[in-house]
Amino acid sequence: MSNVVISDVRKNYGPTKVIHGVDIDIDDGEFVVLVGPSGCGKSTLLRMIAGLEDITGGEVRIGSRIVNDVVAKDRDIAMVFQNYALYPHMTVAENMDFSLKLKGMGKGEREERVAKAADILGLGPLLARYPRQLSGGQRQRVAMGRAIVRDPQVFLFDEPLSNLDAKLRVEMRSEIKALQHRLKTTTIYVTHDQIEAMTMADKIVVMRDGVVEQCDTPLNLYDRPANMFVAAFIGSPSMNFIEGHVQSGANGPAFISKDGVEMALPAGANPPVGTAVTYGFRPEHMALTAAGVAGALPASITLVEPTGSETMVFLKLGTAAVAGVFRERITAGEGDVIHVLPDPTRAHLFDPDTGKRLT
Amino acid sequence: MTDTLAFVPVLIAIGAIGIPVLTYVGLGLGEGILSLLPQGLSGSLRPWVWLSLPILLVLLILIYPIIVTLFTSLRDARGEGFVGGSNYLWAFSGTMMSILKNNIIWLIGFPAVTLVLSLATAVLFDKVKYEPVAMTVVILPTAISFTAGSVIWTQMYSFQPQGMTQIGTLNAIRSLFGLAPVPWLIAPVVNTLSLIFIAVWLQLGIATLILSSAIKNIGSEMLEAARLDGAGEWRIFRSMVLPNIVPSVMVVLTTMIIASLKVFDIVYVMTNGNFGTNVIANRLYYELFSANNLGHASAIAVILLVCALPVALINIFHFRAENKA
Amino acid sequence: MSDAALNPPAAQLRSKSTGRSKQKLLRLLLNIIVIAFLLGWLVPIVALFLSSVRPQADTATSGWWMAILRPDLSLANYGLALDQLRIAGSLGTSLAIAIPTTVLTVILSVIGAYALVRMKFAGRTALSLLLVALLVTPPQITLVPLLKLYNMVGLSGSIPGIWLYQVGFTLPFGVFLLRGFIASIPVELYESANLDGASELKTFTAIVLPLARPIMASLGIMAFLWSWNDLLIPLLFMGGSAMAAPITVNLAGLVAQTTQGQGPLMAATFLSVLIPLFLIISMQRYFVRGILGGAVKG
């Protein structure tokens, strides 16, 4: 087991630049998730760490070794592919055994390792089966088993859950997390699903267009997004944004939207009066309130979506469309006006030009 | 002389075990040497280690002879003195004209008859429950050599003068209906058509397989929708099935065109080109062995190659389009 | 149909029942046509077999179908074929040609196809296109120079010379057929093997070869049939050999001479088609795959 250091890594395909200088520090035993929309370069980065793609520039270090020029099989890493890439003509046991055999390991130790991995993953009864005889979840486990038996320095996962149905995905999510806790192997996991990232990661790297937008713990990303992209990407439903500027109001400076909706400035933010800003607050950080309460904003309902435990409401604040998630049941319907109060202590201001969060 | 049978196991052991083992060892040796080289170099040399044997064989058996034949076709009977295009002038004059005419009958007749029959079998077999059995029956003759197929068909075409007992199948059937026997292999044009039908019998299975698979690939939803719209079976075949299997029809046609260019065995065995049935490939054999005229033989071969060229170009075109998509 | 619309119940009932009986009639007609066609298609093979087991005297005076009406069967023709026509030796020679040709074609094709699909190098596309172009080369174009070459190096009259020719000539098809299959193996499988520590050769032997077994069987059966059924090449290149002539060459020679009569020739022919017929029946699935995979799709 060891740490992984990625410094100023670049990737070009001919003249096309796919990754523009990425720096990530991954501690020994850490579970890091690379997340971002498709095409952001996260899979390419993972494949460069694996040695399946050449590194155009920069440096990848695993432990104390710079691996840029080390071929994939000598990097001591194991990878779980999106489509599992199980060898169709080998049984589950043979699939797991293949790499050990190639290492020239003795028969006794190989059997012991396969049995142990099978035991951890509950694959014992399936060892003699072929991949085509397994369900999606079982194949997923075999793919992990194949990684585990090798006891590598780093696990790499490339969207391993995206071929599973929703229920199985949630189950496997916690299983992989628990497994990693148990084995304490440094893990790099690629997904486009921010919920997967939030629930599994020790540290999340949010990427867009070949650039790291932010790299932090899940809760820090949620509470203190570095910019509007991260703010919108993390959290579901997405953060609400309203454009406007800072104005001096009755109780000192306040935010006023383009159509005159006034909201208290987020805690700790005091940009000069007149600054153009974008006000951001999460749907779940807005309370239902009565008319006449200080700061209450009238909002007309465009759609109500009850999920049972909570209610999601789409509203118009002035002309701005926002979403709200409330624990209360909403009896009002489309066109009715309710009063809401965004929580200023959990709201953010962003620079509308750069998208950066203002502190 | 059956004692040569003793060599058979030895030859098989050498060719089917010995050479493959050597090939594998050679590959291992090549990989071993590559592993000693720096990564970049071994990566760029590796394809040539793997491809060396196949490329060498193709160069030796196909590329080199094609180039040499092109040159020989411009030389005299012994393949030495340069004679310009006179071999080609010869190839398009005199007796060669009737041979070329026969090849044109083959080129049109064989693909056309095969296509029509295979369309019928593919469509009709699709509608019967015993389709697998029917398919096996049409595939059976594809396993038979053109030589054996010709021997087999001597029994179909055999001819006795009128009034005698007909022991050939077709003429026996004709006499059953009171019709005069036909000298299938002797009467001009009829004989070439008779030979063509032997090839149809031998190759129909291949065409049926290709078309049948294309027909099965047409979505059944589309056909069901057409049936619900009230289309009859003939209408469905014409406006739904046929347009959708055009690519496969082209495959069948080009395959059969190439086969009719090369046809040799049937003519050689059945008539040896007599009674006005001769074709280019058989004449080439004659020029090579009896007349010993290498110039003529090469010119004939080049004409065959040129005829096959359009098909090669179409294949290349399709291959590129497919690999881009 | 307009009648039915105007006068629904009765007319509809009538048209339905006539429609159904019409359909039944069509079905019957379809079955009659198909079965008659199939029987007709089998006639030459049946005729071959029956002629091969009829006594010499019968064959010369009456058609093969008389064997059904007046069965008087004997295996004498087979004895004559094996004894006088050297058919056993011919079958042996044909096997000595076809089996190595088949094995070598398959092995070299899979090696070539793997390299062509998996390795990147300058000229890869050009090489693929060349192979496609060579698919339709008539064998005749190669004869003049190769006969000279074979005579020069002493390969003519030798069985390895036939292997060499047939393997080289079939390779473009073999590589083309296997190339399509190997390209359809998911690339992650190779990457996974790479990460598991497999070398190029190991990936080839442990992953590609086992997976490609069915398509290699397809190529194998086709290569065998072509080799076994080939007349032109053995006819040209086997001259002067001490071995018995291959079966096709022997048969072609027998047709010209009528001294032995039809019976032994038919027995010899039947023996020559036994192996191919057995192969195509027992491996029909692979044969079909080979035909469909080898057709250049439009």
Side-chain angles (χ1 to χ4, degrees), chain A residues 243-249 252-258 265 270-278 349-353 358:
Chain A
E243 288 179 17
H245 62 279
V246 180
Q247 212 179 42
S248 55
F255 169 83
I256 184 146
S257 83
K258 282 183 172 157
L265 284 182
N270 45 5
V273 168
T275 318
V277 293
T278 298
L349 286 185
F350 298 95
D351 183 321
D353 296 325
L358 305 167

PDB file of all heavy atoms in Angstrom, chain A residues 243-249 252-258 265 270-278 349-353 358:
ATOM      1  N   GLU A 243     -29.343  35.834 -10.061  1.00  0.00           N
ATOM      2  CA  GLU A 243     -28.408  36.924 -10.383  1.00  0.00           C
ATOM      3  C   GLU A 243     -28.915  38.256  -9.822  1.00  0.00           C
ATOM      4  O   GLU A 243     -30.118  38.475  -9.757  1.00  0.00           O
ATOM      5  CB  GLU A 243     -28.248  37.035 -11.904  1.00  0.00           C
ATOM      6  CG  GLU A 243     -27.446  35.887 -12.474  1.00  0.00           C
ATOM      7  CD  GLU A 243     -27.308  35.982 -13.983  1.00  0.00           C
ATOM      8  OE1 GLU A 243     -27.544  37.091 -14.519  1.00  0.00           O
ATOM      9  OE2 GLU A 243     -26.973  34.960 -14.594  1.00  0.00           O
ATOM     10  N   GLY A 244     -27.972  39.116  -9.422  1.00  0.00           N
ATOM     11  CA  GLY A 244     -28.366  40.418  -8.881  1.00  0.00           C
ATOM     12  C   GLY A 244     -27.147  41.187  -8.433  1.00  0.00           C
ATOM     13  O   GLY A 244     -26.042  40.967  -8.946  1.00  0.00           O
ATOM     14  N   HIS A 245     -27.313  42.076  -7.450  1.00  0.00           N
ATOM     15  CA  HIS A 245     -26.145  42.795  -6.943  1.00  0.00           C
ATOM     16  C   HIS A 245     -26.352  43.168  -5.482  1.00  0.00           C
ATOM     17  O   HIS A 245     -27.432  42.960  -4.920  1.00  0.00           O
ATOM     18  CB  HIS A 245     -25.878  44.035  -7.793  1.00  0.00           C
ATOM     19  CG  HIS A 245     -26.999  45.026  -7.779  1.00  0.00           C
ATOM     20  ND1 HIS A 245     -28.123  44.890  -8.567  1.00  0.00           N
ATOM     21  CD2 HIS A 245     -27.185  46.145  -7.034  1.00  0.00           C
ATOM     22  CE1 HIS A 245     -28.949  45.887  -8.338  1.00  0.00           C
ATOM     23  NE2 HIS A 245     -28.403  46.678  -7.398  1.00  0.00           N
ATOM     24  N   VAL A 246     -25.300  43.717  -4.888  1.00  0.00           N
ATOM     25  CA  VAL A 246     -25.365  44.096  -3.466  1.00  0.00           C
ATOM     26  C   VAL A 246     -25.838  45.544  -3.376  1.00  0.00           C
ATOM     27  O   VAL A 246     -25.376  46.408  -4.112  1.00  0.00           O
ATOM     28  CB  VAL A 246     -23.980  43.942  -2.796  1.00  0.00           C
ATOM     29  CG1 VAL A 246     -24.051  44.327  -1.322  1.00  0.00           C
ATOM     30  CG2 VAL A 246     -23.480  42.512  -2.974  1.00  0.00           C
ATOM     31  N   GLN A 247     -26.764  45.758  -2.426  1.00  0.00           N
ATOM     32  CA  GLN A 247     -27.354  47.092  -2.285  1.00  0.00           C
ATOM     33  C   GLN A 247     -27.474  47.366  -0.802  1.00  0.00           C
ATOM     34  O   GLN A 247     -27.594  46.438  -0.009  1.00  0.00           O
ATOM     35  CB  GLN A 247     -28.751  47.054  -2.906  1.00  0.00           C
ATOM     36  CG  GLN A 247     -29.176  48.359  -3.522  1.00  0.00           C
ATOM     37  CD  GLN A 247     -30.546  48.244  -4.128  1.00  0.00           C
ATOM     38  OE1 GLN A 247     -31.427  47.627  -3.526  1.00  0.00           O
ATOM     39  NE2 GLN A 247     -30.734  48.820  -5.296  1.00  0.00           N
ATOM     40  N   SER A 248     -27.448  48.605  -0.420  1.00  0.00           N
ATOM     41  CA  SER A 248     -27.648  48.841   0.997  1.00  0.00           C
ATOM     42  C   SER A 248     -29.141  48.882   1.279  1.00  0.00           C
ATOM     43  O   SER A 248     -29.910  49.572   0.612  1.00  0.00           O
ATOM     44  CB  SER A 248     -26.996  50.155   1.428  1.00  0.00           C
ATOM     45  OG  SER A 248     -27.469  51.204   0.631  1.00  0.00           O
ATOM     46  N   GLY A 249     -29.572  48.044   2.224  1.00  0.00           N
ATOM     47  CA  GLY A 249     -30.985  47.944   2.554  1.00  0.00           C
ATOM     48  C   GLY A 249     -31.252  48.561   3.921  1.00  0.00           C
ATOM     49  O   GLY A 249     -30.386  49.266   4.467  1.00  0.00           O
ATOM     50  N   GLY A 252     -28.580  47.363   6.691  1.00  0.00           N
ATOM     51  CA  GLY A 252     -27.232  47.239   6.140  1.00  0.00           C
ATOM     52  C   GLY A 252     -27.299  46.632   4.747  1.00  0.00           C
ATOM     53  O   GLY A 252     -28.371  46.549   4.160  1.00  0.00           O
ATOM     54  N   PRO A 253     -26.128  46.206   4.197  1.00  0.00           N
ATOM     55  CA  PRO A 253     -26.086  45.706   2.827  1.00  0.00           C
ATOM     56  C   PRO A 253     -26.920  44.425   2.687  1.00  0.00           C
ATOM     57  O   PRO A 253     -26.955  43.614   3.602  1.00  0.00           O
ATOM     58  CB  PRO A 253     -24.602  45.398   2.581  1.00  0.00           C
ATOM     59  CG  PRO A 253     -23.882  45.903   3.776  1.00  0.00           C
ATOM     60  CD  PRO A 253     -24.835  46.184   4.866  1.00  0.00           C
ATOM     61  N   ALA A 254     -27.575  44.301   1.530  1.00  0.00           N
ATOM     62  CA  ALA A 254     -28.387  43.114   1.258  1.00  0.00           C
ATOM     63  C   ALA A 254     -28.250  42.795  -0.220  1.00  0.00           C
ATOM     64  O   ALA A 254     -27.766  43.607  -1.008  1.00  0.00           O
ATOM     65  CB  ALA A 254     -29.844  43.358   1.623  1.00  0.00           C
ATOM     66  N   PHE A 255     -28.696  41.544  -0.555  1.00  0.00           N
ATOM     67  CA  PHE A 255     -28.680  41.148  -1.958  1.00  0.00           C
ATOM     68  C   PHE A 255     -30.025  41.537  -2.575  1.00  0.00           C
ATOM     69  O   PHE A 255     -31.076  41.338  -1.968  1.00  0.00           O
ATOM     70  CB  PHE A 255     -28.483  39.636  -2.066  1.00  0.00           C
ATOM     71  CG  PHE A 255     -28.712  39.103  -3.454  1.00  0.00           C
ATOM     72  CD1 PHE A 255     -27.697  39.157  -4.406  1.00  0.00           C
ATOM     73  CD2 PHE A 255     -29.951  38.588  -3.823  1.00  0.00           C
ATOM     74  CE1 PHE A 255     -27.910  38.680  -5.689  1.00  0.00           C
ATOM     75  CE2 PHE A 255     -30.170  38.110  -5.100  1.00  0.00           C
ATOM     76  CZ  PHE A 255     -29.148  38.162  -6.042  1.00  0.00           C
ATOM     77  N   ILE A 256     -29.967  42.106  -3.795  1.00  0.00           N
ATOM     78  CA  ILE A 256     -31.233  42.379  -4.477  1.00  0.00           C
ATOM     79  C   ILE A 256     -31.151  41.812  -5.891  1.00  0.00           C
ATOM     80  O   ILE A 256     -30.166  42.029  -6.597  1.00  0.00           O
ATOM     81  CB  ILE A 256     -31.588  43.876  -4.457  1.00  0.00           C
ATOM     82  CG1 ILE A 256     -32.966  44.088  -5.106  1.00  0.00           C
ATOM     83  CG2 ILE A 256     -30.548  44.717  -5.187  1.00  0.00           C
ATOM     84  CD1 ILE A 256     -33.737  45.211  -4.448  1.00  0.00           C
ATOM     85  N   SER A 257     -32.157  41.008  -6.226  1.00  0.00           N
ATOM     86  CA  SER A 257     -32.115  40.344  -7.531  1.00  0.00           C
ATOM     87  C   SER A 257     -32.510  41.322  -8.616  1.00  0.00           C
ATOM     88  O   SER A 257     -32.949  42.430  -8.348  1.00  0.00           O
ATOM     89  CB  SER A 257     -33.044  39.137  -7.536  1.00  0.00           C
ATOM     90  OG  SER A 257     -34.360  39.563  -7.802  1.00  0.00           O
ATOM     91  N   LYS A 258     -32.365  40.843  -9.873  1.00  0.00           N
ATOM     92  CA  LYS A 258     -32.658  41.727 -11.004  1.00  0.00           C
ATOM     93  C   LYS A 258     -34.104  42.206 -10.987  1.00  0.00           C
ATOM     94  O   LYS A 258     -34.409  43.292 -11.447  1.00  0.00           O
ATOM     95  CB  LYS A 258     -32.358  41.004 -12.324  1.00  0.00           C
ATOM     96  CG  LYS A 258     -30.866  40.997 -12.578  1.00  0.00           C
ATOM     97  CD  LYS A 258     -30.521  40.358 -13.907  1.00  0.00           C
ATOM     98  CE  LYS A 258     -29.029  40.578 -14.172  1.00  0.00           C
ATOM     99  NZ  LYS A 258     -28.476  39.597 -15.092  1.00  0.00           N
ATOM    100  N   LEU A 265     -27.690  38.966   3.051  1.00  0.00           N
ATOM    101  CA  LEU A 265     -26.401  38.457   2.564  1.00  0.00           C
ATOM    102  C   LEU A 265     -25.990  37.225   3.367  1.00  0.00           C
ATOM    103  O   LEU A 265     -26.273  37.138   4.560  1.00  0.00           O
ATOM    104  CB  LEU A 265     -25.330  39.532   2.706  1.00  0.00           C
ATOM    105  CG  LEU A 265     -25.357  40.653   1.673  1.00  0.00           C
ATOM    106  CD1 LEU A 265     -24.187  41.600   1.927  1.00  0.00           C
ATOM    107  CD2 LEU A 265     -25.296  40.121   0.256  1.00  0.00           C
ATOM    108  N   ASN A 270     -19.338  40.216   2.846  1.00  0.00           N
ATOM    109  CA  ASN A 270     -19.684  41.627   2.790  1.00  0.00           C
ATOM    110  C   ASN A 270     -18.958  42.337   1.668  1.00  0.00           C
ATOM    111  O   ASN A 270     -18.085  43.167   1.911  1.00  0.00           O
ATOM    112  CB  ASN A 270     -19.432  42.339   4.132  1.00  0.00           C
ATOM    113  CG  ASN A 270     -18.083  41.946   4.701  1.00  0.00           C
ATOM    114  OD1 ASN A 270     -17.322  41.226   4.051  1.00  0.00           O
ATOM    115  ND2 ASN A 270     -17.770  42.446   5.867  1.00  0.00           N
ATOM    116  N   PRO A 271     -19.319  42.019   0.448  1.00  0.00           N
ATOM    117  CA  PRO A 271     -18.710  42.718  -0.673  1.00  0.00           C
ATOM    118  C   PRO A 271     -19.247  44.144  -0.722  1.00  0.00           C
ATOM    119  O   PRO A 271     -20.312  44.421  -0.175  1.00  0.00           O
ATOM    120  CB  PRO A 271     -19.174  41.916  -1.898  1.00  0.00           C
ATOM    121  CG  PRO A 271     -20.404  41.211  -1.444  1.00  0.00           C
ATOM    122  CD  PRO A 271     -20.320  41.048   0.018  1.00  0.00           C
ATOM    123  N   PRO A 272     -18.469  45.038  -1.360  1.00  0.00           N
ATOM    124  CA  PRO A 272     -18.892  46.432  -1.405  1.00  0.00           C
ATOM    125  C   PRO A 272     -20.245  46.579  -2.114  1.00  0.00           C
ATOM    126  O   PRO A 272     -20.582  45.792  -3.002  1.00  0.00           O
ATOM    127  CB  PRO A 272     -17.799  47.128  -2.217  1.00  0.00           C
ATOM    128  CG  PRO A 272     -16.840  46.088  -2.633  1.00  0.00           C
ATOM    129  CD  PRO A 272     -17.189  44.812  -2.008  1.00  0.00           C
ATOM    130  N   VAL A 273     -20.984  47.581  -1.679  1.00  0.00           N
ATOM    131  CA  VAL A 273     -22.276  47.882  -2.295  1.00  0.00           C
ATOM    132  C   VAL A 273     -22.075  48.124  -3.783  1.00  0.00           C
ATOM    133  O   VAL A 273     -21.097  48.750  -4.191  1.00  0.00           O
ATOM    134  CB  VAL A 273     -22.891  49.130  -1.617  1.00  0.00           C
ATOM    135  CG1 VAL A 273     -24.096  49.650  -2.409  1.00  0.00           C
ATOM    136  CG2 VAL A 273     -23.294  48.793  -0.186  1.00  0.00           C
ATOM    137  N   GLY A 274     -22.973  47.579  -4.597  1.00  0.00           N
ATOM    138  CA  GLY A 274     -22.887  47.780  -6.046  1.00  0.00           C
ATOM    139  C   GLY A 274     -22.271  46.621  -6.778  1.00  0.00           C
ATOM    140  O   GLY A 274     -22.386  46.528  -7.990  1.00  0.00           O
ATOM    141  N   THR A 275     -21.588  45.693  -6.045  1.00  0.00           N
ATOM    142  CA  THR A 275     -20.961  44.560  -6.716  1.00  0.00           C
ATOM    143  C   THR A 275     -22.033  43.647  -7.333  1.00  0.00           C
ATOM    144  O   THR A 275     -23.018  43.317  -6.689  1.00  0.00           O
ATOM    145  CB  THR A 275     -20.151  43.705  -5.716  1.00  0.00           C
ATOM    146  OG1 THR A 275     -19.448  44.581  -4.851  1.00  0.00           O
ATOM    147  CG2 THR A 275     -19.209  42.761  -6.424  1.00  0.00           C
ATOM    148  N   ALA A 276     -21.818  43.251  -8.586  1.00  0.00           N
ATOM    149  CA  ALA A 276     -22.717  42.272  -9.207  1.00  0.00           C
ATOM    150  C   ALA A 276     -22.360  40.895  -8.666  1.00  0.00           C
ATOM    151  O   ALA A 276     -21.183  40.514  -8.665  1.00  0.00           O
ATOM    152  CB  ALA A 276     -22.565  42.293 -10.720  1.00  0.00           C
ATOM    153  N   VAL A 277     -23.346  40.138  -8.175  1.00  0.00           N
ATOM    154  CA  VAL A 277     -23.076  38.817  -7.608  1.00  0.00           C
ATOM    155  C   VAL A 277     -24.180  37.848  -8.029  1.00  0.00           C
ATOM    156  O   VAL A 277     -25.249  38.261  -8.478  1.00  0.00           O
ATOM    157  CB  VAL A 277     -23.031  38.845  -6.066  1.00  0.00           C
ATOM    158  CG1 VAL A 277     -21.830  39.635  -5.575  1.00  0.00           C
ATOM    159  CG2 VAL A 277     -24.330  39.404  -5.511  1.00  0.00           C
ATOM    160  N   THR A 278     -23.883  36.546  -7.873  1.00  0.00           N
ATOM    161  CA  THR A 278     -24.928  35.521  -8.031  1.00  0.00           C
ATOM    162  C   THR A 278     -25.159  34.911  -6.656  1.00  0.00           C
ATOM    163  O   THR A 278     -24.209  34.517  -5.972  1.00  0.00           O
ATOM    164  CB  THR A 278     -24.492  34.446  -9.020  1.00  0.00           C
ATOM    165  OG1 THR A 278     -24.285  35.073 -10.290  1.00  0.00           O
ATOM    166  CG2 THR A 278     -25.553  33.373  -9.177  1.00  0.00           C
ATOM    167  N   LEU A 349     -22.372  33.543  -2.049  1.00  0.00           N
ATOM    168  CA  LEU A 349     -22.325  34.517  -3.133  1.00  0.00           C
ATOM    169  C   LEU A 349     -21.232  34.099  -4.106  1.00  0.00           C
ATOM    170  O   LEU A 349     -20.161  33.662  -3.693  1.00  0.00           O
ATOM    171  CB  LEU A 349     -22.008  35.920  -2.589  1.00  0.00           C
ATOM    172  CG  LEU A 349     -23.122  36.635  -1.861  1.00  0.00           C
ATOM    173  CD1 LEU A 349     -22.657  38.046  -1.502  1.00  0.00           C
ATOM    174  CD2 LEU A 349     -24.407  36.683  -2.662  1.00  0.00           C
ATOM    175  N   PHE A 350     -21.510  34.222  -5.396  1.00  0.00           N
ATOM    176  CA  PHE A 350     -20.511  33.865  -6.415  1.00  0.00           C
ATOM    177  C   PHE A 350     -20.259  35.055  -7.309  1.00  0.00           C
ATOM    178  O   PHE A 350     -21.159  35.880  -7.535  1.00  0.00           O
ATOM    179  CB  PHE A 350     -21.003  32.701  -7.266  1.00  0.00           C
ATOM    180  CG  PHE A 350     -21.240  31.442  -6.486  1.00  0.00           C
ATOM    181  CD1 PHE A 350     -22.520  31.132  -6.007  1.00  0.00           C
ATOM    182  CD2 PHE A 350     -20.197  30.570  -6.223  1.00  0.00           C
ATOM    183  CE1 PHE A 350     -22.739  29.987  -5.287  1.00  0.00           C
ATOM    184  CE2 PHE A 350     -20.425  29.407  -5.510  1.00  0.00           C
ATOM    185  CZ  PHE A 350     -21.692  29.107  -5.032  1.00  0.00           C
ATOM    186  N   ASP A 351     -19.046  35.087  -7.836  1.00  0.00           N
ATOM    187  CA  ASP A 351     -18.715  36.097  -8.834  1.00  0.00           C
ATOM    188  C   ASP A 351     -19.369  35.662 -10.148  1.00  0.00           C
ATOM    189  O   ASP A 351     -19.054  34.578 -10.657  1.00  0.00           O
ATOM    190  CB  ASP A 351     -17.188  36.176  -8.979  1.00  0.00           C
ATOM    191  CG  ASP A 351     -16.775  37.256  -9.963  1.00  0.00           C
ATOM    192  OD1 ASP A 351     -17.466  37.409 -10.996  1.00  0.00           O
ATOM    193  OD2 ASP A 351     -15.743  37.904  -9.703  1.00  0.00           O
ATOM    194  N   PRO A 352     -20.276  36.447 -10.708  1.00  0.00           N
ATOM    195  CA  PRO A 352     -20.977  35.991 -11.909  1.00  0.00           C
ATOM    196  C   PRO A 352     -20.057  35.844 -13.122  1.00  0.00           C
ATOM    197  O   PRO A 352     -20.388  35.106 -14.047  1.00  0.00           O
ATOM    198  CB  PRO A 352     -22.035  37.075 -12.149  1.00  0.00           C
ATOM    199  CG  PRO A 352     -21.568  38.255 -11.405  1.00  0.00           C
ATOM    200  CD  PRO A 352     -20.714  37.782 -10.271  1.00  0.00           C
ATOM    201  N   ASP A 353     -18.918  36.493 -13.140  1.00  0.00           N
ATOM    202  CA  ASP A 353     -18.014  36.383 -14.286  1.00  0.00           C
ATOM    203  C   ASP A 353     -17.127  35.142 -14.180  1.00  0.00           C
ATOM    204  O   ASP A 353     -17.041  34.349 -15.114  1.00  0.00           O
ATOM    205  CB  ASP A 353     -17.126  37.625 -14.391  1.00  0.00           C
ATOM    206  CG  ASP A 353     -17.966  38.871 -14.655  1.00  0.00           C
ATOM    207  OD1 ASP A 353     -18.971  38.736 -15.375  1.00  0.00           O
ATOM    208  OD2 ASP A 353     -17.621  39.943 -14.117  1.00  0.00           O
ATOM    209  N   LEU A 358     -17.405  33.902  -3.396  1.00  0.00           N
ATOM    210  CA  LEU A 358     -16.835  35.043  -2.689  1.00  0.00           C
ATOM    211  C   LEU A 358     -16.932  34.751  -1.199  1.00  0.00           C
ATOM    212  O   LEU A 358     -17.976  34.334  -0.723  1.00  0.00           O
ATOM    213  CB  LEU A 358     -17.620  36.324  -3.019  1.00  0.00           C
ATOM    214  CG  LEU A 358     -17.728  36.648  -4.513  1.00  0.00           C
ATOM    215  CD1 LEU A 358     -18.767  37.712  -4.746  1.00  0.00           C
ATOM    216  CD2 LEU A 358     -16.365  37.094  -5.030  1.00  0.00           C
TER     217      LEU A 358
END
